[in-house]
Amino acid sequence: MKVNSALKLWISLFVVIFFFAMACTRTAKAPVAQTRPDSQVSQVSDDEPPAPDVTRPPAMVVKGQDEKPEELGIARVEIKTRIYGYFAETEMTLVFSNPHSRPMAGDLYFPLPEGATVSGYALDVKGRMVEGVAVSKEKGRQVFEKEVRKGIDPGLMELAKGNTFKTRVFPIPPGGSRTVRVSYVSDIVTGKDGASYRLPLNFAKKLSEFSMRVEVVKGAAAPVVKSGGPANLAFSRWNDSYVAEAKLKDSPAEGLISIALPEVEKTPVIVEDGGDGFYYFAVNDFPSPAGVAERSPAPRRVALYWDASGSREKADHKKELALLEAFFSQYRNDPVIVDLLVFRNAMAPPQSFEVRNGDAGGLLKAISGLAYDGGTQTGCLAAPPRDPDVALLFTDGISNFGSEVPSGLKKPLYVFSSDLSANYGFLKFLALSSGGAFFNLERRAPSEIVGEIGKKPFSYLGSPEEPECYPATAQPVQGRFTLLGRFSGAGAKVALRYGRAGMTEKESSYTIDTKNAPSGQLLRCCWAEKKVEDLSIFQEKNAQEIESVGKEFSLVTPFTSLIVLESIEQYMDHAIRPPAGLADYREQYDRAMKEKKAAKVKDDESKIERIVKLWDDRVSWWEKKYSYKKDFKYYNGEQQRERHQAPAEPMRNSAAPQATTAAPRTSAADGFGSGGERDEAMSKTEAGADKKQSGGKGESPAGPEIIIKEWNPETPYLTALSQAGKEDPFSVYIKEKKKYGASPAFYLDCAQYMLKKKQEGIAIQILSNIAELELESAPLLRVLAQRLLQLEKYDLAIPLLEEAKRLRPEEPQSYRDLALALAKRARSTGDAKEYEKSMELLNHVVINTWDRFEEIEVIALMDLNAIRAEYLRRTSGATAQYPSDKRLVKLLDLDIRILLTWDADLTDMDLHLIEPSGEEASYNHNRTTIGGLVSRDFTQGYGPEEYCLRRAEKGTYKVDVNYYGSSAPSLMGPVTVQAEVITSFGRPEEKRRNLTLRLAEGKETQRVGEITF
């Protein structure tokens, strides 16, 4: 009997935006009562960066009544800011209250501006604030999800794509509250009016308490509150710093706080004692070019790359269009030909426009009319059909489909982004590696940028070797340039070189003096963040070093997260050393870990022996002969549908089975559900003498008949598409997307519809939207990849599965899915190395230990031995390294093998196979009279579940899928199920058919198809 244990959990998963961004709009939102009278209008000049967006408050969103999103109230807010030179660390403590009678779960998602990073995260646990511990991102995710399944949710802060951070809080007790503290470091905004610290307050509802403290360390002059904030927020001298404090009671707190920092430029060098044996320093330099760069001649041809993917729909295109208008208006006397190169998941055909008299109206109108749809593949960027004088790129740089790095771009690339969440490091890499420049439209006005487009950028040319300084790579200088470094001695000197095209034009020298250096962590965090930014230009290559820096400095990076656990047992179970603030836990942990090391050695030794025993059991089953007696009927066939029946003992008979074959028949339907899947029949010329290994019974070359039932969902949007008439179906799809675009099912169904209409390119574009629905969602990536594999788009599918493996290394399915995809591509290309990589991945599944997925090693061994045999057949003189233990080497070929996988965690799907006698094979009747075998039941998600039959009896085999139940707080709606039907498994004549379907409710059963022998 199954026990759906996770139903006991009170878990919900929601999406929220914590827009605590430092970049913005030109005007601050009007303040409310008790705020400074002069704060109604932002005092920002036209040449300063726009003010932050203050239109949305920080919020904790939960699912309330009828599963509708609901914001929990914020009872108390405390903000502490420490400013030193051009850097600030902002710490925000938020207390969320839960008015409901049940525990709630909520999510905070928030983007940070360029150059900012999370430097601290804490959650209240048993009455005290517990700091997060830096762990590898993979481990953080693994621990988080394991504890969620127990109903004990840790706190996790991690970095998604671009510069978006996210955290989750559970449980928020009924009638109680939870406290979250987030700290981040950032640099100060500079403009013609000088330097200023800006903070949007977005608390429109009354707060029972609000407090704020701002400290400016060693300020050269008294800071001035220019706008926003409580009316009594003012600075006074405190030791060698300036401090401002204010409190509010039972009041909202909103508006943009802007604090001017006069004469900050008079202190170009600042130093801190990091307390770790190093002094950390920052040099803020304002270099000006030795000469004026030659003005670029009027371009005769411009290549304009425009990212029109779905994620760019909400970008501030007004800023981008304003920049383009200003750029072309410079050339009133010279006509300019513009090749508009729109890209999403792929490049669209180029469109050409002629700009005359500086009027780019036609071009701007075409851009304004674009439909934003599809995933993003920056790797699809290619050289335009005609060589341009200038190449411009507008994108957020968040590539989530296909390849990331473009090839063949020969001209300097000038890259622009106006997106709140962008992959800044990658965008800088694209620009710098091509000899161009990157411009953040959230930080600089178009009037500042236009004159720099097309010029060789004035750049910082490198950092000194000693002390260790960042940035260490050349990069354009636009106004202030900051160099961060560290050293362990009493003092140091640094020389900063500037120039163009690698030629030094100017040099600045500074002496770093540690005398009277204050203690602090601000510059230490900023130095580490700058090092990570440098390393992230080649993120994958430097992954190990980025992870190391993140752990050492407790930063959230692409490869590290901050995690908060509740008990010493959790810290010990997951081998995570408690934070310094939990000294009692640390002492217990250190003692326990010494004892645990000795026990692990024994566990590793016993693992392989357990797998050998499981494999021996499978081999014994395969070698045994089963068959029906004459006129056999399974009397209890109908009763097998009862879910709580005890497993039946297999009836065994040594009589050899007799098989017949039927002519093949293919459904006339097209699309993913049936005829759209392509039979993957291996060439009979590859067979050689392999047939003698087969357990088959003299099949005809045609083989058995597989009929996959077409799955046709009835949905309003498909009805609208089918009734489009003369209207373009894609236009109808775009309209329907506004209603249903949050659901993966919408894109799956619409793509299938387009395939039936023979519009494969549009179908793939529609599918690629799934990659944009949720940042770094392995289940969504797997669903998308499986669809692409069905279309034999291996080069698109495999990178998605590689990303899923990176996101979910704790799940064996990540390795198996990628291994099978590589084997499929190798089957079409004959690439021996891909066969070898496939076997290596499957061997990884076999030799490692997996929580929740016991005996998946046996399924992986079935795959591994079949791929091994195929590899040896097709590769002359090859030897196979895997399976690594030779006791596990044996091909178990089958007449029928059926595999079931699904996309939802904490969800139970079951494979049922009704054999010709009426006997039903399932998880609770896993051995049948003729030897049908059903693998171990995976009750908590993903699968695979497997049905195997070595020798098929004459008749029809019916394949059903049952949705038993789920306790997952999934955002994805119905569960997407993949069923693969294989005949002649492991033999040269092997055939495969696939079906993708969705099941929406527990206890629902769907007929997948039939196999006739």
Side-chain angles (χ1 to χ4, degrees), residues 670-671 721-722 729 751-760:
D670 196 7
L721 282 170
S722 64
Q752 179 174 340
Y753 178 88
M754 293 297 182
L755 280 171
K756 289 182 178 181
K757 296 296 183 181
K758 309 300 182 186
Q759 297 187 39
E760 186 179 87

Side-chain angles (χ1 to χ4, degrees), residues 513-590:
D513 186 0
T514 61
K515 186 179 179 181
N516 300 321
S519 298
Q521 298 293 302
L522 176 56
L523 294 185
R524 183 176 184 269
C525 287
C526 290
W527 177 87
E529 186 277 328
K530 189 62 70 173
K531 180 174 182 177
V532 168
E533 184 179 322
D534 239 39
L535 294 169
S536 294
I537 292 175
F538 298 101
Q539 192 174 101
E540 296 303 323
K541 176 184 175 182
N542 297 322
Q544 189 171 350
E545 191 172 358
I546 293 172
E547 181 181 323
S548 177
V549 174
K551 288 180 177 179
E552 180 182 355
F553 292 87
S554 294
L555 297 179
V556 180
T557 75
F559 301 102
T560 52
S561 301
L562 298 178
I563 193 164
V564 175
L565 299 175
E566 294 189 359
S567 67
I568 182 60
E569 289 77 19
Q570 287 176 308
Y571 286 104
M572 289 191 293
D573 285 349
H574 303 297
I576 296 174
R577 194 168 189 241
L582 298 178
D584 52 338
Y585 279 13
R586 272 200 172 186
E587 185 179 345
Q588 294 179 60
Y589 174 88
D590 290 341

Side-chain angles (χ1 to χ4, degrees), residues 461-540:
L461 298 180
S463 62
E465 294 182 6
E466 293 292 341
E468 186 181 0
C469 295
Y470 294 97
T473 56
Q475 56 186 271
V477 175
Q478 300 163 356
R480 172 170 59 94
F481 173 74
T482 299
L483 183 74
L484 285 139
R486 75 172 183 178
F487 61 96
S488 56
K493 291 185 178 181
V494 294
L496 288 70
R497 295 184 302 108
Y498 305 96
R500 292 186 178 89
M503 302 297 293
T504 300
E505 295 180 6
K506 184 175 182 179
E507 186 172 304
S508 301
S509 297
Y510 292 91
T511 298
I512 315 301
D513 186 0
T514 61
K515 186 179 179 181
N516 300 321
S519 298
Q521 298 293 302
L522 176 56
L523 294 185
R524 183 176 184 269
C525 287
C526 290
W527 177 87
E529 186 277 328
K530 189 62 70 173
K531 180 174 182 177
V532 168
E533 184 179 322
D534 239 39
L535 294 169
S536 294
I537 292 175
F538 298 101
Q539 192 174 101
E540 296 303 323

